[in-house]
Amino acid sequence: MLLRQLREVMAEPLASQARLDKIVDLIAENMRADVCSFYVLRDDGALELFATHGLKAESVHLTTLRLGEGLVGLIAAEAEPLSLDDAPSHPAFAYRPETGEEKYNSFLGVPVLRAGQTLGVLVVQNADHRHYGEDEAEAMLTTATILAEMVATSDFVNLIRPGSEIDLRRSRMFNGVSFTDGIALGKVVLHDPRVVVTNFIAEDTDAEKLRLDAALETMRVSIDAMLDHGDMQPSSDHREILETYRMFANDRGWVNRLTEAIGNGLSAEAAVERVQNDTRARMLRQTDPYIRDRLHDLDDLANRLLRVLTNSNQPAQRDLPDNAILVARNMGPAELLEYDRTKLRGVVLEEGGATAHVAIVARSLGVVAVGQAQSIVSMCESGDDIIIDGSAGQVHLRPTREVEQTYIDKVRISARRRAHYAALKNRPSVTRDGVEITLLHNSGLVADLPMLDDTGATGVGLFRTELQFMIASRLPRLKEQAELYAEALAIAGDRPIVFRLLDIGGDKVLPYLRSTAEENPAMGYRSIRLGLDRPGLLRTQIRALLQAANGRPLRILVPMVTETFEFRQTKQVIVKEIERLKRAGHKAPEKLEIGAMIEVPSLLFELDQIMPEADFVSIGSNDLVQFLTAADRANPRVSKAYDPIALPRLRAIRLVVDAAARHGKPVTMCGELAGKPIEALALMAIGMTRLSMGPASIGPIKEMILNLELKPVQAAVAEALGAGANGHTIRTLLTEWVERQNLPIG
Ligand code: PEP
Ligand code: MG
């Protein structure tokens, strides 16, 4: 009844204030309340009285309460309804004389929520000591859903006290973790776009219930199908999420709440949004990570249901604005690669760690990225202005003019810095005391190879061949692989490329490759283990590499070697392929170098066996540190807790450097460590001279090298590694050297 009347008011050609006045009158009449007031949250944190039936008219747009102040402030702060039959005796009661509210004893207030954010508060009051029942609170919450939509879509700026903004559009800053350096200014594109509900009010409640039932059934069937279709969803995480979905989809409590909201007069989709609002509000306040995750799952499920109800299955490929910044809860590397790269400026995720593969892909695409921006998805709308400050790990949503100007200036400065680094590109990379350091790129896509010209790097120290496999929708064939490698070699010209054999598995999931769920995929059936177990895949790749080299020198790197015999076995596969190549009358590479990645700790204790077998070795610090510290590289809550250049880790790396020196074999660092100034300094201090990193790091690291007097730093670190750093950490020790030598560090 009330909702129908509200709809009529919404359809009338009224000015915003007149409409609001009519709405509060209607609510008061329907709820048999003496007072109905509506407060809107402003960007300064004050709740401004926007309309009232029953309180003094002159208090409208004059009376304000701060968040947490008075009953209204309390409801807004906690995002929970509050029902009292003796309001003035509540400890939070704040009396505002201009309203004349002292005579009202009973009080029912509900938060006005949208996407879990509080936009305002809706209150009814009565003079008598009335007890408002749960039904009444529920009806108020339903009405509040519609008011929320009004706040979001109407032009309230004219009504609000001059100089203020409604809170919904407030600018917000998020402190996350840096995935890549750089600054990007652009517009929000939601990776998982929110469904916009336009039809709020039920024409026919029974029909809406039937629609809901049908949609729930469709959704359940699709979840069951996904679960049964094990080969499509190989990651165990994914399965776990689907299982949770299934649980929620069949959860009576959830379904009952949806049905109840329809019973109160909402359309099926508005009911989903109404229940989703509660979940989001709880999510924003929840600190327990497990419960937060489950609430997130429930939120995803509500989105899924909304899509079914509104027939808006998202198109895989959407038109992006020219300066698109993707915002998502999380995203796999393959999903990121599906977007049009010419328009993509940045990525912001709520989850993810700096060494997660989506971060690595973002880095290799030159896309600015930040992770761990908590709750950002529910706070932004597609098209909002957004700035990502990659270096600081900060995100500014709807930035103020001043913030925007600051960043425009920073972009100008960083363009100048880039020009400055570009000017260094032809200078030999040698320290002031004559130590030559070879700087190389980490790469993986043909698209990022032309950057070799911009940085002046010596070559590619790590070409992650799995990226091509991750972008593809099916297994790339021999010919396609060979073409890609040939193209890469052609772009690199004389500059060497180290091709790493497929490192799939773990979180590098290929959707088309059947795999079984694993408890610990990073330590599971991945990389060369999978390669040796499925020799067809490995042989095809080696054949493609040999064909692409077409007689020219070739460098192949074997990932995740755990035991020397695995390396030997891989070499045998390569040798066989060379024989096959020659038999077919093709040219073998004029020089073939095969290297081993040292990233599994066990190999640290077999260095004197692996070194003679390998032509070169390469340290993967991302995996090595993850395994040494037993801290998941993709989980910042643990991975950030352990400094990768603390004594134990640096000693481990030095074992490799020393063994390589004993055996006269080149050693490269190709994990993320090499691209960070203090970390790179630590590596040079223990004798590493070959560093492979994301292209954007070459300039800053090179500038540091050109200014560096390395030998005294080497002596200090050697002493610290032997005797302990005298109460200092290696990091503080190196920071002191940076200051003493006045080194530029990016
Ligand atoms: C590493 O582990 O450090 C590495 C370079 O390999 P990836 O990050 O691809 O596992
Ligand atoms: Mg690795």
Side-chain angles (χ1 to χ4, degrees):
M1 178 64 182
L2 171 60
L3 289 184
R4 190 147 310 148
Q5 287 171 322
L6 283 177
R7 183 170 57 182
E8 279 157 23
V9 178
M10 302 285 253
E12 277 179 57
L14 290 172
S16 298
Q17 186 66 52
R19 195 189 312 281
L20 280 179
D21 292 344
K22 246 185 155 164
I23 288 175
V24 287
D25 288 346
L26 267 178
I27 298 173
E29 186 188 324
N30 268 274
M31 304 275 301
R32 287 172 296 105
D34 300 325
V35 174
C36 174
S37 311
F38 176 40
Y39 297 81
V40 173
L41 185 61
R42 297 195 313 222
D43 60 352
D44 59 357
L47 288 142
E48 177 174 318
L49 180 62
F50 253 59
T52 184
H53 168 100
L55 297 184
K56 288 184 186 156
E58 55 270 30
S59 57
V60 173
H61 297 299
L62 190 76
T63 291
T64 56
L65 289 143
R66 286 189 314 279
L67 262 182
E69 183 193 23
L71 300 175
V72 168
L74 187 68
I75 293 166
E78 303 204 331
E80 293 272 12
L82 183 64
S83 167
L84 301 166
D85 41 22
D86 185 15
S89 70
H90 190 283
F93 185 81
Y95 174 53
R96 289 285 187 271
E98 71 275 11
T99 62
E101 77 180 317
E102 65 278 16
K103 47 184 184 291
Y104 302 107
N105 288 303
S106 50
F107 173 103
L108 169 64
V110 297
V112 175
L113 299 171
R114 188 166 185 274
Q117 257 184 281
T118 302
L119 306 190
V121 174
L122 181 65
V123 173
V124 287
Q125 289 169 284
N126 279 77
D128 54 3
H129 289 267
R130 167 174 167 187
H131 177 73
Y132 298 97
E134 265 191 31
D135 285 0
E136 283 162 310
E138 188 56 36
M140 284 277 279
L141 278 166
T142 304
T143 316
T145 309
I146 293 173
L147 281 173
E149 211 47 36
M150 242 187 111
V151 177
T153 54
S154 316
D155 191 11
F156 276 9
V157 188
N158 301 331
L159 305 184
I160 207 154
R161 194 186 288 176
S164 305
E165 224 338 341
I166 56 170
D167 184 64
L168 177 67
R169 309 301 305 156
R170 175 160 64 94
S171 53
R172 288 176 188 270
M173 205 264 272
F174 298 81
N175 267 315
V177 298
S178 162
F179 281 181
T180 54
D181 284 346
I183 292 164
L185 290 86
K187 300 270 182 216
V188 168
V189 173
L190 285 169
H191 172 58
D192 197 7
R194 202 168 297 139
V195 177
V196 182
V197 176
T198 46
N199 160 31
F200 268 87
I201 296 158
E203 290 283 353
D204 173 349
T205 309
D206 289 336
E208 290 301 316
K209 283 187 182 156
L210 288 176
R211 282 184 66 223
L212 177 70
D213 286 344
L216 278 167
E217 195 47 38
T218 310
M219 193 180 70
R220 284 183 196 126
V221 170
S222 74
I223 294 172
D224 287 347
M226 279 191 267
L227 273 163
D228 292 343
H229 219 280
D231 58 345
M232 284 295 291
Q233 311 296 344
S235 112
S236 60
D237 274 3
H238 203 102
R239 191 169 185 90
E240 196 179 305
I241 290 169
L242 283 175
E243 293 282 9
T244 317
Y245 278 4
R246 172 142 76 181
M247 187 184 85
F248 283 128
N250 290 299
D251 179 84
R252 286 316 307 163
W254 190 58
V255 176
N256 283 346
R257 281 194 291 147
L258 294 173
T259 317
E260 198 180 337
I262 296 181
N264 278 318
L266 290 180
S267 67
E269 46 269 49
V272 177
E273 194 165 277
R274 147 92 178 77
V275 173
Q276 190 181 23
N277 259 331
D278 293 347
T279 320
R280 289 213 169 131
R282 272 159 61 204
M283 207 152 73
L284 294 183
R285 280 174 289 137
Q286 187 54 250
T287 46
D288 180 317
Y290 178 77
I291 300 178
R292 260 185 90 98
D293 277 355
R294 296 291 76 78
L295 288 171
H296 265 307
D297 292 341
L298 191 52
D299 190 56
D300 286 348
L301 193 68
N303 275 335
R304 216 170 250 268
L305 192 54
L306 278 177
R307 277 203 204 98
V308 178
L309 279 166
T310 54
N311 272 331
S312 50
N313 276 319
Q314 88 190 87
Q317 207 75 36
R318 279 171 291 153
D319 270 344
L320 293 183
D322 280 340
N323 46 1
I325 295 192
L326 281 178
V327 179
R329 181 182 156 202
N330 208 347
M331 193 187 288
E335 288 173 289
L336 176 58
L337 288 164
E338 269 171 25
Y339 284 92
D340 175 356
R341 263 175 275 144
T342 58
K343 293 184 171 173
L344 199 59
R345 297 280 168 276
V347 180
V348 182
L349 300 182
E350 286 190 1
E351 300 178 355
T355 55
H357 282 101
V358 60
I360 291 170
V361 170
R363 218 165 290 146
S364 93
L365 293 177
V367 168
V368 183
V370 163
Q372 301 281 306
Q374 269 201 13
S375 302
I376 190 164
V377 173
S378 62
M379 308 238 179
C380 60
E381 306 274 346
S382 286
D384 277 351
D385 287 329
I386 186 167
I387 296 174
I388 314 182
D389 182 340
S391 342
Q394 280 177 352
V395 180
H396 300 269
L397 182 62
R398 297 181 290 268
T400 59
R401 216 177 279 257
E402 297 76 30
V403 169
E404 189 174 345
Q405 194 51 51
T406 313
Y407 277 98
I408 290 173
D409 293 345
K410 276 195 185 184
V411 168
R412 261 190 221 123
I413 294 167
S414 78
R416 249 180 263 144
R417 281 169 66 97
R418 270 203 305 280
H420 168 70
Y421 293 139
L424 302 179
K425 77 173 179 185
N426 294 323
R427 291 201 28 206
S429 167
V430 181
T431 65
R432 285 176 52 195
D433 46 356
V435 182
E436 196 179 326
I437 308 289
T438 306
L439 298 179
L440 302 150
H441 282 196
N442 286 346
S443 172
L445 298 164
V446 166
D448 55 35
L449 287 170
M451 276 191 272
L452 282 170
D453 292 334
D454 308 330
T455 64
T458 309
V460 176
L462 171 68
F463 190 93
R464 292 182 162 103
T465 57
E466 59 276 5
L467 292 192
Q468 182 198 19
F469 285 69
M470 286 157 71
I471 323 171
S473 52
R474 53 170 178 74
L475 204 65
R477 298 186 207 293
L478 171 68
K479 187 163 168 280
E480 290 159 330
Q481 292 184 42
E483 277 168 7
L484 178 110
Y485 304 143
E487 203 182 338
L489 287 167
I491 297 172
D494 296 339
R495 294 163 292 200
I497 300 184
V498 173
F499 289 100
R500 180 174 72 179
L501 295 177
L502 273 181
D503 186 17
I504 44 180
D507 64 339
K508 296 180 218 175
V509 167
L510 305 186
Y512 45 82
L513 208 68
R514 195 180 186 68
S515 67
T516 37
E518 294 182 282
E519 282 279 337
N520 292 300
M523 298 195 283
Y525 183 65
R526 60 172 280 208
S527 203
I528 197 63
R529 300 171 182 176
L530 188 150
L532 288 171
D533 193 50
R534 297 185 53 154
L537 201 62
L538 183 63
R539 270 202 303 268
T540 309
Q541 185 179 32
I542 293 169
R543 206 168 291 173
L545 284 165
L546 291 168
Q547 285 182 8
N550 193 22
R552 286 171 294 183
L554 181 64
R555 292 163 188 83
I556 294 178
L557 179 59
V558 186
M560 279 289 282
V561 178
T562 311
E563 307 246 20
T564 304
F565 82 83
E566 291 167 324
F567 185 66
R568 240 179 258 137
Q569 269 183 317
T570 313
K571 281 206 305 189
Q572 276 162 14
V573 179
I574 299 175
V575 168
K576 272 202 184 133
E577 280 307 314
I578 293 180
E579 282 162 8
R580 192 179 170 278
L581 189 81
K582 284 190 195 150
R583 275 203 306 277
H586 296 295
K587 279 182 273 178
E590 80 188 41
K591 186 174 180 203
L592 175 67
E593 289 168 273
I594 308 175
M597 271 197 85
I598 300 187
E599 52 183 344
V600 178
S602 185
L603 208 53
L604 294 176
F605 307 98
E606 215 176 39
L607 288 169
D608 287 323
Q609 283 68 50
I610 191 81
M611 288 292 175
E613 296 275 347
D615 297 309
F616 64 94
V617 294
S618 196
I619 305 175
S621 60
N622 305 340
D623 276 314
L624 185 63
V625 172
Q626 130 166 301
F627 294 130
L628 280 173
T629 54
D632 183 351
R633 64 195 256 183
N635 178 351
R637 284 171 61 225
V638 292
S639 65
K640 272 169 64 176
Y642 306 104
D643 187 346
I645 55 163
L647 277 178
R649 271 72 77 189
L650 206 54
R651 281 183 183 137
I653 296 171
R654 195 178 58 168
L655 286 179
V656 184
V657 178
D658 292 350
R662 275 199 305 281
H663 292 268
K665 299 289 162 81
V667 53
T668 306
M669 167 58 77
C670 68
E672 305 305 311
L673 280 193
K676 298 182 183 154
I678 298 282
E679 285 79 349
L681 188 56
L683 297 171
M684 291 186 281
I686 58 168
M688 293 206 80
T689 56
R690 297 174 56 82
L691 304 177
S692 191
M693 61 196 77
S697 299
I698 298 274
I701 298 287
K702 186 165 187 180
E703 190 176 34
M704 177 176 77
I705 291 169
L706 295 176
N707 288 280
L708 173 66
E709 196 78 58
L710 181 57
K711 301 219 168 91
V713 186
Q714 284 181 327
V717 170
E719 194 188 326
L721 279 175
N726 232 347
H728 281 71
T729 61
I730 296 285
R731 188 173 294 279
T732 49
L733 178 86
L734 290 171
T735 310
E736 279 167 25
W737 276 100
V738 165
E739 276 164 26
R740 200 178 310 172
Q741 296 195 2
N742 199 16
L743 295 176
I745 54 163

